[in-house]
Each structure stands twice: as structure tokens, then as C-alpha cells.
Amino acid sequence: METGAAAGVSAADIGAATEIHEEPGAGGPTASRGDNDIMSCLRRSTAAVHERVEAGLGLADPDIPAGRYRDLMISFYRLHTALEPRLEALFGEFEDPLLDWPGRRKLGRLTRDLSTLGIAPEGLTVLPAALIPAGNDLTFGFGALYVTEGATLGGQLIARNLSTRADLADATSYFTPYGDQAGRRWRDLRVVLRRWVGTDRERADAVVEAALGTFLAFEAALH
């Protein structure tokens, strides 16, 4: 775990970490990207609820009470319990290997973190799954992934912020599933999403709607 400046990480820093910065080669030419680019549409359309969710968590606070942190991790577990079986069905055999769905599963890490926090795996089986939007097609899947993978990108700062907490530092693997590859994994998702949406406006609108619905589900479950 990294220390040092991490203790000064703010909610604004976490938000900045999830900004989409265009890079040459990431899904095609970047100079001509405009308002209709799917990543721009997603960022713009979800900005308000993203900010609300982030501000309400309190995870930027290195002094977050251990009980509050445990409650949040339980809520994350309930959300992923609802999401991951559906994402598995949608992306288990997805044709673009760059997505690598198996490597994006989070439930195993949440189970380990919660065990570290004193909740045995058998205790998790009685937790109800969180309510998430209806959807069983790839537009839902990509909208949900935009939310969960963006949270993982911002989670790098959360883990660093908690690295000095003896009671929590070993229960942050959910936020750091990719080690130093978090940026690359986010770029990979952007490439795949742009390829899949292309110039299909209806498809893009449906992905944005699914992302909004997923953010709202996170807001309801986490606050």
C-alpha cells in the first residue's frame, strides 16, 4: 500500500481520477471526437448522480469510522451480487477479448475484504441482493460496467487514503483488483465500448440510460 500524500486525497481528487482523458490509439483517432462520442455522452449524462454518489460515501476521509466502512462494503457486496450474474451471462462469451470479463469480477475480493472485517462468507449468503435496473442485453451490461469500472479507477485513491489505517488497510482489495494496471483496464473498456457502439445513436442512448440506472441503484444502496 502507498502512503504519504494519500492522506490528503479529496473527493475532488477521486472525481478527477475517473475523468476520461483521450489518448492516441485508444479506440481510434481522438482529434475528431465530439459530443456524440459515447464516453463523452456517458460522462456528461451521469455527472450529477456520479457527484452525489461520491460525495455521500465518505470514502475520501481517512478517518472514516470502521463501522461505516464495513456497512459500505456490505452494500457493495449486495450490488455486485445482483449485477455479476447478469454481467456473466452477457459477457461470459463476449467476442472481443480485450474486455476480459472474467478478470473484472469483484465478488471474490469483496468476500475476502468482508472476511477481514469480521464477516464470514456464510454470513453473506443471507444478505439480500440490491435492487438494480431491469436489463438483459449488452446495452445494460456496458452501462453497468461503465459505473463499476469507473469506481475501480477511483478506488485506487481510496485504497491509498486508507493505507495507514491498521483496521482497514487489509480490507481494500475490492478497490485495487488490477494493481498497477487499473489505467490500462479502463482504457481497454473504452476501446471496446467505442467499437461496440460505433455511430449507433439508439445503442448509445440505451447504454447511457443503463449507466444512469446503475448509478441510481448505487446511490440507493450506499446511502
PDB file of all heavy atoms in Angstrom, residues 42 80 83-84 86-87 90-91 101 132-133 135 137-151 186 189 193 206-215 218:
ATOM      1  N   LEU A  42     -21.580   9.577 -21.839  1.00  0.00           N
ATOM      2  CA  LEU A  42     -21.704   8.944 -20.528  1.00  0.00           C
ATOM      3  C   LEU A  42     -21.233   9.879 -19.420  1.00  0.00           C
ATOM      4  O   LEU A  42     -21.924  10.048 -18.410  1.00  0.00           O
ATOM      5  CB  LEU A  42     -20.898   7.648 -20.500  1.00  0.00           C
ATOM      6  CG  LEU A  42     -21.555   6.448 -21.180  1.00  0.00           C
ATOM      7  CD1 LEU A  42     -20.532   5.348 -21.462  1.00  0.00           C
ATOM      8  CD2 LEU A  42     -22.692   5.896 -20.302  1.00  0.00           C
ATOM      9  N   HIS A  80     -23.021  -6.044  -6.176  1.00  0.00           N
ATOM     10  CA  HIS A  80     -22.347  -6.951  -7.102  1.00  0.00           C
ATOM     11  C   HIS A  80     -23.006  -8.335  -7.127  1.00  0.00           C
ATOM     12  O   HIS A  80     -22.963  -9.013  -8.153  1.00  0.00           O
ATOM     13  CB  HIS A  80     -20.860  -7.057  -6.754  1.00  0.00           C
ATOM     14  CG  HIS A  80     -20.072  -5.874  -7.234  1.00  0.00           C
ATOM     15  ND1 HIS A  80     -19.516  -5.814  -8.492  1.00  0.00           N
ATOM     16  CD2 HIS A  80     -19.775  -4.692  -6.637  1.00  0.00           C
ATOM     17  CE1 HIS A  80     -18.902  -4.654  -8.647  1.00  0.00           C
ATOM     18  NE2 HIS A  80     -19.045  -3.958  -7.537  1.00  0.00           N
ATOM     19  N   LEU A  83     -25.529  -7.700  -9.708  1.00  0.00           N
ATOM     20  CA  LEU A  83     -25.016  -7.372 -11.037  1.00  0.00           C
ATOM     21  C   LEU A  83     -24.241  -8.503 -11.698  1.00  0.00           C
ATOM     22  O   LEU A  83     -24.410  -8.770 -12.899  1.00  0.00           O
ATOM     23  CB  LEU A  83     -24.097  -6.147 -10.950  1.00  0.00           C
ATOM     24  CG  LEU A  83     -24.742  -4.774 -10.917  1.00  0.00           C
ATOM     25  CD1 LEU A  83     -23.695  -3.707 -10.617  1.00  0.00           C
ATOM     26  CD2 LEU A  83     -25.419  -4.482 -12.255  1.00  0.00           C
ATOM     27  N   GLU A  84     -23.363  -9.146 -10.958  1.00  0.00           N
ATOM     28  CA  GLU A  84     -22.396 -10.023 -11.617  1.00  0.00           C
ATOM     29  C   GLU A  84     -23.000 -11.235 -12.329  1.00  0.00           C
ATOM     30  O   GLU A  84     -22.525 -11.599 -13.408  1.00  0.00           O
ATOM     31  CB  GLU A  84     -21.294 -10.440 -10.633  1.00  0.00           C
ATOM     32  CG  GLU A  84     -20.378  -9.277 -10.331  1.00  0.00           C
ATOM     33  CD  GLU A  84     -19.022  -9.674  -9.755  1.00  0.00           C
ATOM     34  OE1 GLU A  84     -18.711 -10.881  -9.698  1.00  0.00           O
ATOM     35  OE2 GLU A  84     -18.271  -8.766  -9.358  1.00  0.00           O
ATOM     36  N   ARG A  86     -25.728 -11.323 -13.969  1.00  0.00           N
ATOM     37  CA  ARG A  86     -26.232 -10.810 -15.246  1.00  0.00           C
ATOM     38  C   ARG A  86     -25.100 -10.416 -16.178  1.00  0.00           C
ATOM     39  O   ARG A  86     -25.148 -10.663 -17.388  1.00  0.00           O
ATOM     40  CB  ARG A  86     -27.164  -9.628 -14.982  1.00  0.00           C
ATOM     41  CG  ARG A  86     -28.499 -10.128 -14.417  1.00  0.00           C
ATOM     42  CD  ARG A  86     -29.290  -9.061 -13.739  1.00  0.00           C
ATOM     43  NE  ARG A  86     -29.749  -8.028 -14.655  1.00  0.00           N
ATOM     44  CZ  ARG A  86     -30.499  -6.989 -14.272  1.00  0.00           C
ATOM     45  NH1 ARG A  86     -30.856  -6.876 -13.007  1.00  0.00           N
ATOM     46  NH2 ARG A  86     -30.891  -6.085 -15.144  1.00  0.00           N
ATOM     47  N   LEU A  87     -24.054  -9.829 -15.637  1.00  0.00           N
ATOM     48  CA  LEU A  87     -22.903  -9.493 -16.467  1.00  0.00           C
ATOM     49  C   LEU A  87     -22.201 -10.755 -16.964  1.00  0.00           C
ATOM     50  O   LEU A  87     -21.691 -10.795 -18.087  1.00  0.00           O
ATOM     51  CB  LEU A  87     -21.932  -8.610 -15.682  1.00  0.00           C
ATOM     52  CG  LEU A  87     -22.480  -7.240 -15.284  1.00  0.00           C
ATOM     53  CD1 LEU A  87     -21.441  -6.463 -14.489  1.00  0.00           C
ATOM     54  CD2 LEU A  87     -22.917  -6.437 -16.500  1.00  0.00           C
ATOM     55  N   LEU A  90     -24.043 -11.970 -19.917  1.00  0.00           N
ATOM     56  CA  LEU A  90     -23.892 -11.110 -21.086  1.00  0.00           C
ATOM     57  C   LEU A  90     -22.492 -11.154 -21.680  1.00  0.00           C
ATOM     58  O   LEU A  90     -22.322 -11.124 -22.898  1.00  0.00           O
ATOM     59  CB  LEU A  90     -24.218  -9.661 -20.699  1.00  0.00           C
ATOM     60  CG  LEU A  90     -25.674  -9.362 -20.362  1.00  0.00           C
ATOM     61  CD1 LEU A  90     -25.803  -7.967 -19.765  1.00  0.00           C
ATOM     62  CD2 LEU A  90     -26.546  -9.481 -21.610  1.00  0.00           C
ATOM     63  N   PHE A  91     -21.476 -11.209 -20.816  1.00  0.00           N
ATOM     64  CA  PHE A  91     -20.103 -11.050 -21.285  1.00  0.00           C
ATOM     65  C   PHE A  91     -19.251 -12.314 -21.174  1.00  0.00           C
ATOM     66  O   PHE A  91     -18.079 -12.303 -21.546  1.00  0.00           O
ATOM     67  CB  PHE A  91     -19.412  -9.932 -20.508  1.00  0.00           C
ATOM     68  CG  PHE A  91     -19.989  -8.571 -20.774  1.00  0.00           C
ATOM     69  CD1 PHE A  91     -20.567  -7.832 -19.747  1.00  0.00           C
ATOM     70  CD2 PHE A  91     -19.954  -8.015 -22.042  1.00  0.00           C
ATOM     71  CE1 PHE A  91     -21.099  -6.575 -19.985  1.00  0.00           C
ATOM     72  CE2 PHE A  91     -20.490  -6.755 -22.294  1.00  0.00           C
ATOM     73  CZ  PHE A  91     -21.061  -6.045 -21.261  1.00  0.00           C
ATOM     74  N   TRP A 101     -13.943 -10.134 -19.417  1.00  0.00           N
ATOM     75  CA  TRP A 101     -14.901 -10.096 -18.317  1.00  0.00           C
ATOM     76  C   TRP A 101     -14.448 -10.892 -17.096  1.00  0.00           C
ATOM     77  O   TRP A 101     -14.553 -10.386 -15.963  1.00  0.00           O
ATOM     78  CB  TRP A 101     -16.287 -10.559 -18.765  1.00  0.00           C
ATOM     79  CG  TRP A 101     -17.113 -11.039 -17.622  1.00  0.00           C
ATOM     80  CD1 TRP A 101     -17.514 -12.306 -17.347  1.00  0.00           C
ATOM     81  CD2 TRP A 101     -17.586 -10.235 -16.529  1.00  0.00           C
ATOM     82  NE1 TRP A 101     -18.209 -12.351 -16.164  1.00  0.00           N
ATOM     83  CE2 TRP A 101     -18.267 -11.097 -15.644  1.00  0.00           C
ATOM     84  CE3 TRP A 101     -17.495  -8.884 -16.219  1.00  0.00           C
ATOM     85  CZ2 TRP A 101     -18.862 -10.647 -14.466  1.00  0.00           C
ATOM     86  CZ3 TRP A 101     -18.081  -8.432 -15.032  1.00  0.00           C
ATOM     87  CH2 TRP A 101     -18.764  -9.315 -14.181  1.00  0.00           C
ATOM     88  N   ILE A 132     -31.460  -3.481  -8.713  1.00  0.00           N
ATOM     89  CA  ILE A 132     -30.790  -2.838  -9.841  1.00  0.00           C
ATOM     90  C   ILE A 132     -31.767  -2.779 -11.008  1.00  0.00           C
ATOM     91  O   ILE A 132     -32.770  -3.498 -11.035  1.00  0.00           O
ATOM     92  CB  ILE A 132     -29.507  -3.596 -10.261  1.00  0.00           C
ATOM     93  CG1 ILE A 132     -29.827  -5.054 -10.609  1.00  0.00           C
ATOM     94  CG2 ILE A 132     -28.462  -3.524  -9.167  1.00  0.00           C
ATOM     95  CD1 ILE A 132     -28.656  -5.800 -11.185  1.00  0.00           C
ATOM     96  N   PRO A 133     -31.503  -1.927 -11.993  1.00  0.00           N
ATOM     97  CA  PRO A 133     -32.451  -1.779 -13.103  1.00  0.00           C
ATOM     98  C   PRO A 133     -32.634  -3.069 -13.886  1.00  0.00           C
ATOM     99  O   PRO A 133     -31.734  -3.922 -13.942  1.00  0.00           O
ATOM    100  CB  PRO A 133     -31.799  -0.702 -13.988  1.00  0.00           C
ATOM    101  CG  PRO A 133     -30.815  -0.022 -13.126  1.00  0.00           C
ATOM    102  CD  PRO A 133     -30.343  -1.032 -12.132  1.00  0.00           C
ATOM    103  N   GLY A 135     -32.772  -5.273 -17.188  1.00  0.00           N
ATOM    104  CA  GLY A 135     -31.953  -5.217 -18.392  1.00  0.00           C
ATOM    105  C   GLY A 135     -31.232  -6.525 -18.598  1.00  0.00           C
ATOM    106  O   GLY A 135     -30.622  -7.055 -17.661  1.00  0.00           O
ATOM    107  N   ASP A 137     -29.583  -7.111 -21.888  1.00  0.00           N
ATOM    108  CA  ASP A 137     -28.875  -7.031 -23.154  1.00  0.00           C
ATOM    109  C   ASP A 137     -27.553  -6.292 -22.951  1.00  0.00           C
ATOM    110  O   ASP A 137     -27.245  -5.815 -21.858  1.00  0.00           O
ATOM    111  CB  ASP A 137     -29.728  -6.362 -24.235  1.00  0.00           C
ATOM    112  CG  ASP A 137     -30.108  -4.930 -23.877  1.00  0.00           C
ATOM    113  OD1 ASP A 137     -29.588  -4.392 -22.873  1.00  0.00           O
ATOM    114  OD2 ASP A 137     -30.938  -4.345 -24.594  1.00  0.00           O
ATOM    115  N   LEU A 138     -26.760  -6.190 -24.011  1.00  0.00           N
ATOM    116  CA  LEU A 138     -25.427  -5.628 -23.873  1.00  0.00           C
ATOM    117  C   LEU A 138     -25.437  -4.137 -23.568  1.00  0.00           C
ATOM    118  O   LEU A 138     -24.484  -3.621 -22.981  1.00  0.00           O
ATOM    119  CB  LEU A 138     -24.607  -5.905 -25.131  1.00  0.00           C
ATOM    120  CG  LEU A 138     -24.154  -7.362 -25.301  1.00  0.00           C
ATOM    121  CD1 LEU A 138     -23.484  -7.564 -26.656  1.00  0.00           C
ATOM    122  CD2 LEU A 138     -23.196  -7.766 -24.176  1.00  0.00           C
ATOM    123  N   THR A 139     -26.500  -3.433 -23.939  1.00  0.00           N
ATOM    124  CA  THR A 139     -26.544  -2.017 -23.570  1.00  0.00           C
ATOM    125  C   THR A 139     -26.592  -1.878 -22.046  1.00  0.00           C
ATOM    126  O   THR A 139     -25.913  -1.012 -21.474  1.00  0.00           O
ATOM    127  CB  THR A 139     -27.747  -1.295 -24.209  1.00  0.00           C
ATOM    128  OG1 THR A 139     -28.970  -1.917 -23.796  1.00  0.00           O
ATOM    129  CG2 THR A 139     -27.652  -1.324 -25.724  1.00  0.00           C
ATOM    130  N   PHE A 140     -27.371  -2.735 -21.388  1.00  0.00           N
ATOM    131  CA  PHE A 140     -27.374  -2.739 -19.927  1.00  0.00           C
ATOM    132  C   PHE A 140     -25.993  -3.100 -19.402  1.00  0.00           C
ATOM    133  O   PHE A 140     -25.467  -2.457 -18.477  1.00  0.00           O
ATOM    134  CB  PHE A 140     -28.397  -3.731 -19.380  1.00  0.00           C
ATOM    135  CG  PHE A 140     -28.217  -4.017 -17.915  1.00  0.00           C
ATOM    136  CD1 PHE A 140     -28.698  -3.126 -16.966  1.00  0.00           C
ATOM    137  CD2 PHE A 140     -27.530  -5.138 -17.490  1.00  0.00           C
ATOM    138  CE1 PHE A 140     -28.502  -3.365 -15.616  1.00  0.00           C
ATOM    139  CE2 PHE A 140     -27.330  -5.381 -16.136  1.00  0.00           C
ATOM    140  CZ  PHE A 140     -27.815  -4.490 -15.196  1.00  0.00           C
ATOM    141  N   GLY A 141     -25.392  -4.132 -19.965  1.00  0.00           N
ATOM    142  CA  GLY A 141     -24.095  -4.585 -19.486  1.00  0.00           C
ATOM    143  C   GLY A 141     -23.030  -3.514 -19.571  1.00  0.00           C
ATOM    144  O   GLY A 141     -22.268  -3.288 -18.618  1.00  0.00           O
ATOM    145  N   PHE A 142     -22.964  -2.820 -20.696  1.00  0.00           N
ATOM    146  CA  PHE A 142     -21.941  -1.795 -20.848  1.00  0.00           C
ATOM    147  C   PHE A 142     -22.228  -0.584 -19.955  1.00  0.00           C
ATOM    148  O   PHE A 142     -21.298   0.035 -19.428  1.00  0.00           O
ATOM    149  CB  PHE A 142     -21.815  -1.368 -22.308  1.00  0.00           C
ATOM    150  CG  PHE A 142     -20.934  -2.275 -23.108  1.00  0.00           C
ATOM    151  CD1 PHE A 142     -21.430  -2.982 -24.185  1.00  0.00           C
ATOM    152  CD2 PHE A 142     -19.592  -2.434 -22.782  1.00  0.00           C
ATOM    153  CE1 PHE A 142     -20.618  -3.828 -24.930  1.00  0.00           C
ATOM    154  CE2 PHE A 142     -18.766  -3.273 -23.520  1.00  0.00           C
ATOM    155  CZ  PHE A 142     -19.275  -3.968 -24.595  1.00  0.00           C
ATOM    156  N   GLY A 143     -23.502  -0.240 -19.783  1.00  0.00           N
ATOM    157  CA  GLY A 143     -23.824   0.850 -18.873  1.00  0.00           C
ATOM    158  C   GLY A 143     -23.403   0.531 -17.448  1.00  0.00           C
ATOM    159  O   GLY A 143     -22.835   1.373 -16.740  1.00  0.00           O
ATOM    160  N   ALA A 144     -23.654  -0.713 -17.021  1.00  0.00           N
ATOM    161  CA  ALA A 144     -23.260  -1.129 -15.673  1.00  0.00           C
ATOM    162  C   ALA A 144     -21.744  -1.161 -15.535  1.00  0.00           C
ATOM    163  O   ALA A 144     -21.189  -0.733 -14.512  1.00  0.00           O
ATOM    164  CB  ALA A 144     -23.857  -2.496 -15.360  1.00  0.00           C
ATOM    165  N   LEU A 145     -21.054  -1.662 -16.557  1.00  0.00           N
ATOM    166  CA  LEU A 145     -19.590  -1.714 -16.495  1.00  0.00           C
ATOM    167  C   LEU A 145     -18.976  -0.327 -16.431  1.00  0.00           C
ATOM    168  O   LEU A 145     -17.939  -0.128 -15.778  1.00  0.00           O
ATOM    169  CB  LEU A 145     -19.029  -2.477 -17.696  1.00  0.00           C
ATOM    170  CG  LEU A 145     -19.022  -3.995 -17.628  1.00  0.00           C
ATOM    171  CD1 LEU A 145     -18.421  -4.570 -18.906  1.00  0.00           C
ATOM    172  CD2 LEU A 145     -18.251  -4.494 -16.407  1.00  0.00           C
ATOM    173  N   TYR A 146     -19.576   0.626 -17.121  1.00  0.00           N
ATOM    174  CA  TYR A 146     -19.069   1.995 -17.047  1.00  0.00           C
ATOM    175  C   TYR A 146     -19.047   2.462 -15.591  1.00  0.00           C
ATOM    176  O   TYR A 146     -18.089   3.110 -15.147  1.00  0.00           O
ATOM    177  CB  TYR A 146     -19.942   2.929 -17.884  1.00  0.00           C
ATOM    178  CG  TYR A 146     -19.562   4.382 -17.756  1.00  0.00           C
ATOM    179  CD1 TYR A 146     -18.475   4.903 -18.444  1.00  0.00           C
ATOM    180  CD2 TYR A 146     -20.295   5.242 -16.928  1.00  0.00           C
ATOM    181  CE1 TYR A 146     -18.120   6.244 -18.315  1.00  0.00           C
ATOM    182  CE2 TYR A 146     -19.954   6.582 -16.801  1.00  0.00           C
ATOM    183  CZ  TYR A 146     -18.863   7.074 -17.495  1.00  0.00           C
ATOM    184  OH  TYR A 146     -18.513   8.394 -17.360  1.00  0.00           O
ATOM    185  N   VAL A 147     -20.070   2.120 -14.837  1.00  0.00           N
ATOM    186  CA  VAL A 147     -20.153   2.533 -13.445  1.00  0.00           C
ATOM    187  C   VAL A 147     -19.170   1.752 -12.581  1.00  0.00           C
ATOM    188  O   VAL A 147     -18.392   2.342 -11.813  1.00  0.00           O
ATOM    189  CB  VAL A 147     -21.584   2.354 -12.909  1.00  0.00           C
ATOM    190  CG1 VAL A 147     -21.655   2.698 -11.419  1.00  0.00           C
ATOM    191  CG2 VAL A 147     -22.551   3.223 -13.698  1.00  0.00           C
ATOM    192  N   THR A 148     -19.182   0.428 -12.682  1.00  0.00           N
ATOM    193  CA  THR A 148     -18.340  -0.375 -11.786  1.00  0.00           C
ATOM    194  C   THR A 148     -16.859  -0.206 -12.085  1.00  0.00           C
ATOM    195  O   THR A 148     -16.036  -0.148 -11.167  1.00  0.00           O
ATOM    196  CB  THR A 148     -18.725  -1.855 -11.865  1.00  0.00           C
ATOM    197  OG1 THR A 148     -18.565  -2.345 -13.207  1.00  0.00           O
ATOM    198  CG2 THR A 148     -20.168  -2.067 -11.425  1.00  0.00           C
ATOM    199  N   GLU A 149     -16.505  -0.098 -13.363  1.00  0.00           N
ATOM    200  CA  GLU A 149     -15.094   0.053 -13.704  1.00  0.00           C
ATOM    201  C   GLU A 149     -14.599   1.462 -13.416  1.00  0.00           C
ATOM    202  O   GLU A 149     -13.445   1.663 -13.031  1.00  0.00           O
ATOM    203  CB  GLU A 149     -14.858  -0.311 -15.167  1.00  0.00           C
ATOM    204  CG  GLU A 149     -15.070  -1.787 -15.461  1.00  0.00           C
ATOM    205  CD  GLU A 149     -14.115  -2.678 -14.674  1.00  0.00           C
ATOM    206  OE1 GLU A 149     -12.896  -2.562 -14.853  1.00  0.00           O
ATOM    207  OE2 GLU A 149     -14.617  -3.487 -13.863  1.00  0.00           O
ATOM    208  N   GLY A 150     -15.460   2.455 -13.568  1.00  0.00           N
ATOM    209  CA  GLY A 150     -15.087   3.801 -13.164  1.00  0.00           C
ATOM    210  C   GLY A 150     -14.851   3.883 -11.662  1.00  0.00           C
ATOM    211  O   GLY A 150     -13.930   4.554 -11.196  1.00  0.00           O
ATOM    212  N   ALA A 151     -15.675   3.154 -10.902  1.00  0.00           N
ATOM    213  CA  ALA A 151     -15.486   3.113  -9.451  1.00  0.00           C
ATOM    214  C   ALA A 151     -14.155   2.465  -9.100  1.00  0.00           C
ATOM    215  O   ALA A 151     -13.472   2.882  -8.156  1.00  0.00           O
ATOM    216  CB  ALA A 151     -16.640   2.347  -8.802  1.00  0.00           C
ATOM    217  N   TRP A 186      -9.084   0.417 -17.725  1.00  0.00           N
ATOM    218  CA  TRP A 186     -10.097   1.426 -18.055  1.00  0.00           C
ATOM    219  C   TRP A 186     -10.014   1.788 -19.528  1.00  0.00           C
ATOM    220  O   TRP A 186     -11.031   1.898 -20.212  1.00  0.00           O
ATOM    221  CB  TRP A 186      -9.898   2.643 -17.169  1.00  0.00           C
ATOM    222  CG  TRP A 186     -10.815   3.791 -17.472  1.00  0.00           C
ATOM    223  CD1 TRP A 186     -10.468   4.998 -18.003  1.00  0.00           C
ATOM    224  CD2 TRP A 186     -12.234   3.854 -17.268  1.00  0.00           C
ATOM    225  NE1 TRP A 186     -11.577   5.809 -18.137  1.00  0.00           N
ATOM    226  CE2 TRP A 186     -12.677   5.129 -17.692  1.00  0.00           C
ATOM    227  CE3 TRP A 186     -13.166   2.940 -16.751  1.00  0.00           C
ATOM    228  CZ2 TRP A 186     -14.007   5.522 -17.636  1.00  0.00           C
ATOM    229  CZ3 TRP A 186     -14.504   3.345 -16.696  1.00  0.00           C
ATOM    230  CH2 TRP A 186     -14.909   4.608 -17.126  1.00  0.00           C
ATOM    231  N   LEU A 189     -11.605  -0.905 -21.655  1.00  0.00           N
ATOM    232  CA  LEU A 189     -13.062  -0.833 -21.666  1.00  0.00           C
ATOM    233  C   LEU A 189     -13.532   0.248 -22.624  1.00  0.00           C
ATOM    234  O   LEU A 189     -14.491   0.054 -23.388  1.00  0.00           O
ATOM    235  CB  LEU A 189     -13.599  -0.566 -20.263  1.00  0.00           C
ATOM    236  CG  LEU A 189     -15.121  -0.359 -20.173  1.00  0.00           C
ATOM    237  CD1 LEU A 189     -15.870  -1.615 -20.595  1.00  0.00           C
ATOM    238  CD2 LEU A 189     -15.527   0.070 -18.760  1.00  0.00           C
ATOM    239  N   LEU A 193     -15.989  -0.427 -25.754  1.00  0.00           N
ATOM    240  CA  LEU A 193     -17.293   0.244 -25.772  1.00  0.00           C
ATOM    241  C   LEU A 193     -17.447   1.096 -27.023  1.00  0.00           C
ATOM    242  O   LEU A 193     -18.505   1.090 -27.656  1.00  0.00           O
ATOM    243  CB  LEU A 193     -17.439   1.087 -24.512  1.00  0.00           C
ATOM    244  CG  LEU A 193     -18.760   1.825 -24.287  1.00  0.00           C
ATOM    245  CD1 LEU A 193     -19.955   0.911 -24.480  1.00  0.00           C
ATOM    246  CD2 LEU A 193     -18.782   2.452 -22.898  1.00  0.00           C
ATOM    247  N   ALA A 206     -29.171   3.908 -25.140  1.00  0.00           N
ATOM    248  CA  ALA A 206     -29.536   2.830 -24.225  1.00  0.00           C
ATOM    249  C   ALA A 206     -28.422   2.562 -23.215  1.00  0.00           C
ATOM    250  O   ALA A 206     -28.688   2.251 -22.047  1.00  0.00           O
ATOM    251  CB  ALA A 206     -29.864   1.562 -25.014  1.00  0.00           C
ATOM    252  N   VAL A 207     -27.164   2.660 -23.642  1.00  0.00           N
ATOM    253  CA  VAL A 207     -26.038   2.484 -22.719  1.00  0.00           C
ATOM    254  C   VAL A 207     -26.060   3.589 -21.668  1.00  0.00           C
ATOM    255  O   VAL A 207     -25.870   3.332 -20.471  1.00  0.00           O
ATOM    256  CB  VAL A 207     -24.697   2.472 -23.486  1.00  0.00           C
ATOM    257  CG1 VAL A 207     -23.525   2.511 -22.507  1.00  0.00           C
ATOM    258  CG2 VAL A 207     -24.586   1.240 -24.371  1.00  0.00           C
ATOM    259  N   VAL A 208     -26.283   4.815 -22.095  1.00  0.00           N
ATOM    260  CA  VAL A 208     -26.345   5.936 -21.159  1.00  0.00           C
ATOM    261  C   VAL A 208     -27.486   5.733 -20.153  1.00  0.00           C
ATOM    262  O   VAL A 208     -27.312   5.936 -18.945  1.00  0.00           O
ATOM    263  CB  VAL A 208     -26.520   7.269 -21.911  1.00  0.00           C
ATOM    264  CG1 VAL A 208     -26.866   8.399 -20.943  1.00  0.00           C
ATOM    265  CG2 VAL A 208     -25.256   7.605 -22.694  1.00  0.00           C
ATOM    266  N   GLU A 209     -28.642   5.312 -20.633  1.00  0.00           N
ATOM    267  CA  GLU A 209     -29.775   5.063 -19.732  1.00  0.00           C
ATOM    268  C   GLU A 209     -29.434   3.983 -18.709  1.00  0.00           C
ATOM    269  O   GLU A 209     -29.769   4.100 -17.529  1.00  0.00           O
ATOM    270  CB  GLU A 209     -31.002   4.650 -20.543  1.00  0.00           C
ATOM    271  CG  GLU A 209     -32.239   4.426 -19.695  1.00  0.00           C
ATOM    272  CD  GLU A 209     -33.463   4.039 -20.524  1.00  0.00           C
ATOM    273  OE1 GLU A 209     -33.372   4.041 -21.765  1.00  0.00           O
ATOM    274  OE2 GLU A 209     -34.506   3.738 -19.911  1.00  0.00           O
ATOM    275  N   ALA A 210     -28.745   2.931 -19.143  1.00  0.00           N
ATOM    276  CA  ALA A 210     -28.367   1.860 -18.225  1.00  0.00           C
ATOM    277  C   ALA A 210     -27.354   2.344 -17.197  1.00  0.00           C
ATOM    278  O   ALA A 210     -27.418   1.958 -16.018  1.00  0.00           O
ATOM    279  CB  ALA A 210     -27.801   0.681 -19.018  1.00  0.00           C
ATOM    280  N   ALA A 211     -26.412   3.174 -17.622  1.00  0.00           N
ATOM    281  CA  ALA A 211     -25.435   3.716 -16.683  1.00  0.00           C
ATOM    282  C   ALA A 211     -26.117   4.589 -15.637  1.00  0.00           C
ATOM    283  O   ALA A 211     -25.816   4.501 -14.439  1.00  0.00           O
ATOM    284  CB  ALA A 211     -24.366   4.504 -17.435  1.00  0.00           C
ATOM    285  N   LEU A 212     -27.042   5.428 -16.072  1.00  0.00           N
ATOM    286  CA  LEU A 212     -27.782   6.261 -15.128  1.00  0.00           C
ATOM    287  C   LEU A 212     -28.547   5.398 -14.124  1.00  0.00           C
ATOM    288  O   LEU A 212     -28.543   5.667 -12.918  1.00  0.00           O
ATOM    289  CB  LEU A 212     -28.755   7.167 -15.885  1.00  0.00           C
ATOM    290  CG  LEU A 212     -28.191   8.446 -16.461  1.00  0.00           C
ATOM    291  CD1 LEU A 212     -29.207   9.092 -17.413  1.00  0.00           C
ATOM    292  CD2 LEU A 212     -27.811   9.427 -15.353  1.00  0.00           C
ATOM    293  N   GLY A 213     -29.214   4.366 -14.630  1.00  0.00           N
ATOM    294  CA  GLY A 213     -29.958   3.487 -13.740  1.00  0.00           C
ATOM    295  C   GLY A 213     -29.060   2.781 -12.744  1.00  0.00           C
ATOM    296  O   GLY A 213     -29.417   2.602 -11.569  1.00  0.00           O
ATOM    297  N   THR A 214     -27.865   2.389 -13.186  1.00  0.00           N
ATOM    298  CA  THR A 214     -26.927   1.721 -12.289  1.00  0.00           C
ATOM    299  C   THR A 214     -26.418   2.697 -11.227  1.00  0.00           C
ATOM    300  O   THR A 214     -26.316   2.344 -10.050  1.00  0.00           O
ATOM    301  CB  THR A 214     -25.754   1.129 -13.088  1.00  0.00           C
ATOM    302  OG1 THR A 214     -26.259   0.247 -14.090  1.00  0.00           O
ATOM    303  CG2 THR A 214     -24.817   0.351 -12.177  1.00  0.00           C
ATOM    304  N   PHE A 215     -26.089   3.916 -11.629  1.00  0.00           N
ATOM    305  CA  PHE A 215     -25.665   4.916 -10.651  1.00  0.00           C
ATOM    306  C   PHE A 215     -26.764   5.140  -9.614  1.00  0.00           C
ATOM    307  O   PHE A 215     -26.490   5.260  -8.407  1.00  0.00           O
ATOM    308  CB  PHE A 215     -25.336   6.243 -11.342  1.00  0.00           C
ATOM    309  CG  PHE A 215     -23.880   6.444 -11.640  1.00  0.00           C
ATOM    310  CD1 PHE A 215     -23.450   6.667 -12.930  1.00  0.00           C
ATOM    311  CD2 PHE A 215     -22.930   6.426 -10.625  1.00  0.00           C
ATOM    312  CE1 PHE A 215     -22.107   6.866 -13.215  1.00  0.00           C
ATOM    313  CE2 PHE A 215     -21.588   6.633 -10.889  1.00  0.00           C
ATOM    314  CZ  PHE A 215     -21.171   6.855 -12.191  1.00  0.00           C
ATOM    315  N   PHE A 218     -26.774   2.357  -7.173  1.00  0.00           N
ATOM    316  CA  PHE A 218     -25.667   2.513  -6.231  1.00  0.00           C
ATOM    317  C   PHE A 218     -26.020   3.576  -5.186  1.00  0.00           C
ATOM    318  O   PHE A 218     -25.756   3.389  -3.985  1.00  0.00           O
ATOM    319  CB  PHE A 218     -24.388   2.899  -6.974  1.00  0.00           C
ATOM    320  CG  PHE A 218     -23.563   1.714  -7.411  1.00  0.00           C
ATOM    321  CD1 PHE A 218     -24.090   0.751  -8.242  1.00  0.00           C
ATOM    322  CD2 PHE A 218     -22.255   1.589  -6.997  1.00  0.00           C
ATOM    323  CE1 PHE A 218     -23.328  -0.333  -8.665  1.00  0.00           C
ATOM    324  CE2 PHE A 218     -21.478   0.496  -7.403  1.00  0.00           C
ATOM    325  CZ  PHE A 218     -22.021  -0.468  -8.231  1.00  0.00           C
TER     326      PHE A 218
END
